[in-house]
Amino acid sequence: MVTAHKKGPNEADVRAGSRLKNARRLKRMSQAELGGLLGVTFQQVQKYENGKNRISASRIVAAANALGVPPSFFFDETEKATLDIADTSVEMRQLIELVAGGDALELNRHFSNIKSPALRKAVVSFVTAISTAADDQP
């Protein structure tokens, strides 16, 4: 007797979906907007992004075109899989990981709206002070 068991998402599907999400967010595109360009619903984009559904080759190409990345971006297994950024320094990888988290994108959007150079400098000083204090905590 064959018992059916539920397989989880494939690692490659999860990785491609994560990169789809990161590229979409960096382009400041909603799931609905991307879905419209791909001919699918925003729910389908969500499923692609969390790796629940696989993305077909034709949709990978369409997504790459919509997001301005090469199709290989979704499959690159190296740590440098970035939006065509060749610099793979430690600092750059940390920045890419930070942006992928989402909070940094939101913070950056609001920070970029601050027009006063003095206020921008004050915000940077404030964040620096917080991070330094956090480093001093046991």
Side-chain angles (χ1 to χ4, degrees):
M1 182 166 136
V2 177
T3 44
H5 66 90
K6 183 172 170 37
K7 281 177 55 174
N10 178 287
E11 183 181 325
D13 296 328
V14 172
R15 185 173 45 251
S18 175
R19 294 196 179 146
L20 176 71
K21 182 177 184 177
N22 292 340
R24 177 186 60 77
R25 291 173 94 186
L26 286 170
K27 289 290 186 177
R28 300 177 87 175
M29 186 181 294
S30 71
Q31 290 175 330
E33 290 170 321
L34 181 57
L37 294 171
L38 300 180
V40 299
T41 65
F42 79 90
Q43 293 96 332
Q44 184 62 45
V45 172
Q46 286 176 338
K47 290 177 182 181
Y48 290 153
E49 289 182 352
N50 65 28
K52 287 188 179 184
N53 285 11
R54 292 181 175 162
I55 308 172
S56 70
S58 61
R59 289 239 166 80
I60 286 284
V61 171
N65 290 334
L67 298 169
V69 297
S72 63
F73 169 78
F74 298 102
F75 304 105
D76 188 352
E77 293 190 27
T78 67
E79 287 297 314
K80 79 166 186 75
T82 66
L83 295 178
D84 233 6
I85 299 172
D87 182 0
T88 58
S89 67
V90 171
E91 190 172 289
M92 183 57 72
R93 284 197 308 270
Q94 289 172 339
L95 177 61
I96 292 163
E97 289 171 12
L98 177 67
V99 169
D103 290 340
L105 279 176
E106 184 175 355
L107 182 62
N108 188 53
R109 284 184 192 131
H110 294 295
F111 183 80
S112 66
N113 289 331
I114 300 171
K115 302 302 178 210
S116 165
L119 187 53
R120 289 173 76 112
K121 187 173 183 174
V123 170
V124 170
S125 295
F126 176 67
V127 173
T128 301
I130 291 171
S131 68
T132 303
D135 287 344
D136 293 339
Q137 297 292 324

